[in-house]
């Protein structure tokens, strides 16, 4: 249990004593990150740094749904260029097309979607040409 501050002792001296005793016991030795620079020291101060860091670590996005879907469509296009098989290309495009069609029926919040489903056969044709299988 943590020791309570004695009556009549200032908080500062009591806290200093607690820290000094913990250092003497070795409570601070071997902590993770010891001897390493603090991340982000070179960046300007941001009062919400901890929120942004948590969101980055958790993979949370704050984009409106329409922009998130646009990003997914971009990512799908990039994934197609790295796909190893035609079946994989078709699977990637079918999944994103399903989400695009759903969004077209019930437009999401945010800026206009400005997307149409991919023409799977046309994209597969481009994929084949890139690989010299035309």
């Amino acid at each position: 249990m943590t020791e309570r501050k004695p009556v009549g002792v200032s908080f500062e001296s009591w806290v200093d004593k607690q820290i000094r005793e913990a250092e003497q016991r070795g409570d601070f030795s071997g902590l993770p990150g010891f001897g390493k620079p603090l991340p982000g020291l070179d960046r300007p101060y941001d009062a919400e740094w901890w929120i942004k860091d948590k969101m980055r670590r958790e993979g949370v996005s704050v984009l409106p749904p329409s922009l998130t879907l646009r990003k997914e469509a971009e990512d799908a296009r990039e994934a197609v260029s790295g796909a190893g098989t035609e079946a994989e290309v078709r699977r990637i495009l079918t999944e994103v097309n399903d989400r695009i069609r759903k969004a077209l029926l019930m437009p999401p919040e945010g800026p206009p979607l400005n997307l149409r489903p991919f023409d799977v056969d046309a994209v597969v044709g481009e994929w084949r040409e890139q690989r010299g299988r035309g």
Side-chain angles (χ1 to χ4, degrees):
M1 177 186 256
T2 305
E3 181 182 335
R4 299 189 114 229
K5 180 186 90 55
V7 177
V9 176
S10 72
F11 273 105
E12 183 175 356
S13 60
W14 180 73
V15 169
D16 289 337
K17 177 182 176 238
Q18 297 293 315
I19 293 171
R20 185 178 60 256
E21 289 174 356
E23 284 176 333
Q24 290 170 350
R25 287 191 308 268
D27 292 352
F28 298 129
S29 57
L31 293 174
F34 178 77
K36 297 178 184 170
L38 296 173
L41 282 180
D42 56 339
R43 285 181 260 154
Y45 178 72
D46 180 2
E48 296 175 352
W49 67 269
W50 63 275
I51 295 171
K52 293 175 183 174
D53 189 49
K54 172 95 172 145
M55 290 174 65
R56 182 189 50 76
R57 284 192 321 265
E58 301 285 329
V60 175
S61 173
V62 292
L63 288 174
S66 60
L67 294 182
T68 300
L69 187 53
R70 283 192 210 172
K71 177 70 172 123
E72 287 177 24
E74 264 181 49
D75 293 346
R77 197 68 151 126
E78 288 177 25
V80 161
S81 64
T85 65
E86 181 177 324
E88 187 178 355
V89 172
R90 290 183 181 278
R91 180 190 54 76
I92 292 167
L93 295 175
T94 301
E95 287 175 5
V96 77
N97 276 352
D98 290 344
R99 289 192 292 276
I100 291 171
R101 285 188 185 98
K102 183 178 176 183
L104 290 172
L105 292 174
M106 174 131 344
E109 294 178 30
L113 189 57
N114 294 335
L115 281 178
R116 290 180 300 155
F118 289 100
D119 180 342
V120 176
D121 292 327
V123 176
V124 167
E126 293 170 14
W127 178 82
R128 285 182 185 154
E129 286 177 18
Q130 287 177 346
R131 293 186 165 22
R133 300 179 193 172

